[in-house]
């Protein structure tokens, strides 16, 4: 999906480049679309960048990374399809103690189906099994609690990791340093010197395959209550203790 291409694969490659991944690791893409391993690698290779300081042997590292990327097509609610995935994973694990991490970069209405199938048919036999749930976690506190209850039918709380990839922006962009440690801005950052504040969310591309998600969940709910409020909070808050 869109998030996998733009964020997840480039981030995994950056970790691989910095030798932060285990020696024996395999990455499997899983979705309903029919695709070969070669087609996945071709798609992924177009989004990988050498965002790293050294930039040495980058092409070589990309080749090595792509050789570890595979694809399996299946339905999210099919235990049979996940059993097929489990077979492929076992082949790659070759009897080693294996840890499995499922990153759910999928629409929220199929979280529980995917977790059920993965937990019952593709859990690790001898290592840990963990699941990363990409936001949104429900539409309000009630639906969020219902989602957690549903996930806990198949997982323990310590197996569930909730993530909003956008919240890393503060660290990447150094917004709090810009806001609180800049000798030019800090003395002027007040109502005496600032007439108005505008937060502009602007992208130079369309929904690109995310239309179904936005129609179901809502662009305002997806962007306003977390991403833009996060930036507003960093902009408007008092200096933290």
């Amino acid at each position: 999906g869109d998030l996998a291409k733009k964020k997840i694969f480039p981030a995994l490659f950056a970790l691989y480049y910095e030798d932060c991944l285990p020696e024996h690791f395999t990455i499997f893409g899983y979705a309903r679309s029919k695709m070969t391993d070669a087609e996945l690698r071709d798609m992924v290779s177009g989004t990988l960048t050498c965002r790293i300081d050294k930039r040495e042997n980058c092409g070589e590292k990309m080749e090595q990374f792509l050789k570890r990327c595979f694809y399996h097509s299946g339905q999210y609610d099919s235990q049979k399809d996940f059993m097929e995935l489990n077979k492929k994973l076992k082949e790659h694990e070759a009897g080693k103690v294996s840890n499995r991490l499922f990153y759910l970069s999928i629409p929220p209405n199929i979280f529980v189906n995917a977790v059920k199938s993965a937990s019952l048919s593709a859990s690790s036999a001898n290592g840990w099994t963990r699941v990363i749930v990409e936001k949104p976690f429900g539409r309000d506190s009630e639906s969020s609690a219902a989602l957690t209850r549903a996930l806990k039918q198949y997982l323990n709380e310590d197996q569930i990791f909730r993530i909003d990839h956008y919240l890393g922006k503060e660290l990447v962009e150094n917004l709090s340093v810009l806001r609180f440690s800049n000798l030019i801005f800090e003395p002027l950052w007040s109502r005496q010197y600032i007439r108005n504040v505008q937060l502009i969310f602007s992208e130079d591309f369309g929904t690109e395959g995310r239309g179904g998600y936005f129609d179901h969940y809502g662009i305002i709910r997806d962007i306003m209550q977390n991403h833009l409020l996060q930036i507003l909070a960093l902009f408007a808050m008092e200096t933290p203790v």
Side-chain angles (χ1 to χ4, degrees), residues 2 14 30 33 37 49 54 123 125 142 157 179 190 210 231 238-239:
D2 185 71
Y30 183 99
S33 314
D37 293 344
T49 56
K54 306 168 202 163
S123 284
E142 200 174 292
E157 177 58 44
R179 165 77 173 83
S190 70
R210 299 172 294 167
I231 304 299
E238 294 292 323
T239 309

Side-chain angles (χ1 to χ4, degrees), residues 10-42:
L12 288 169
F13 174 63
L15 288 171
Y16 175 66
Y17 192 97
E18 296 286 356
D19 296 322
C20 294
L21 293 182
E23 185 185 350
H24 303 286
F25 76 91
T26 311
I27 299 169
F28 261 87
Y30 183 99
R32 289 169 300 197
S33 314
K34 299 291 180 195
M35 205 190 303
T36 64
D37 293 344
E39 285 171 330
L40 174 80
R41 289 168 186 168
D42 190 48

Side-chain angles (χ1 to χ4, degrees), residues 22 24 93-100 124-128:
H24 303 286
E93 290 160 358
K96 297 183 182 77
V97 173
S98 62
N99 298 319
R100 293 182 183 177
S124 171
N126 53 15
W128 50 250

Side-chain angles (χ1 to χ4, degrees), residues 76-233:
Y76 296 113
D77 59 354
S78 167
Q79 289 183 47
K80 181 171 168 288
D81 289 344
F82 272 86
M83 283 168 80
E84 292 294 321
L85 173 67
N86 185 48
K87 273 188 209 163
K88 286 189 181 178
L89 291 174
K90 280 182 174 172
E91 286 170 21
H92 287 277
E93 290 160 358
K96 297 183 182 77
V97 173
S98 62
N99 298 319
R100 293 182 183 177
L101 177 61
F102 292 89
Y103 191 120
L104 303 187
S105 175
I106 53 178
N109 57 314
I110 48 177
F111 280 162
V112 178
N113 287 340
V115 165
K116 178 183 178 182
S117 302
S119 176
L120 297 179
S121 302
S123 284
S124 171
N126 53 15
W128 50 250
T129 300
R130 294 173 180 167
V131 172
I132 295 177
V133 185
E134 174 76 50
K135 72 105 193 145
F137 323 115
R139 301 169 70 87
D140 49 30
S141 61
E142 200 174 292
S143 56
S144 177
L147 173 64
T148 295
R149 282 195 300 274
L151 293 176
K152 284 189 178 179
Q153 290 176 52
Y154 310 104
L155 300 168
N156 298 322
E157 177 58 44
D158 62 3
Q159 292 178 282
I160 305 168
F161 292 78
R162 297 164 183 82
I163 186 174
D164 179 351
H165 65 272
Y166 204 89
L167 297 182
K169 257 208 179 338
E170 197 284 312
L171 301 173
V172 174
E173 308 285 1
N174 261 341
L175 297 176
S176 53
V177 173
L178 175 75
R179 165 77 173 83
F180 298 113
S181 304
N182 190 302
L183 294 175
I184 296 173
F185 291 153
E186 180 54 29
L188 303 174
W189 205 287
S190 70
R191 62 183 180 177
Q192 270 91 356
Y193 302 106
I194 295 176
R195 180 175 295 165
N196 70 60
V197 174
Q198 297 179 26
L199 298 180
I200 298 172
F201 181 81
S202 176
E203 291 183 328
D204 58 359
F205 49 87
T207 53
E208 294 189 349
R210 299 172 294 167
Y213 165 71
F214 288 134
D215 280 347
H216 176 74
Y217 192 71
I219 184 75
I220 290 177
R221 187 179 276 111
D222 186 63
I223 298 295
M224 290 285 293
Q225 68 182 10
N226 40 36
H227 301 342
L228 295 186
L229 277 179
Q230 175 203 354
I231 304 299
L232 177 64

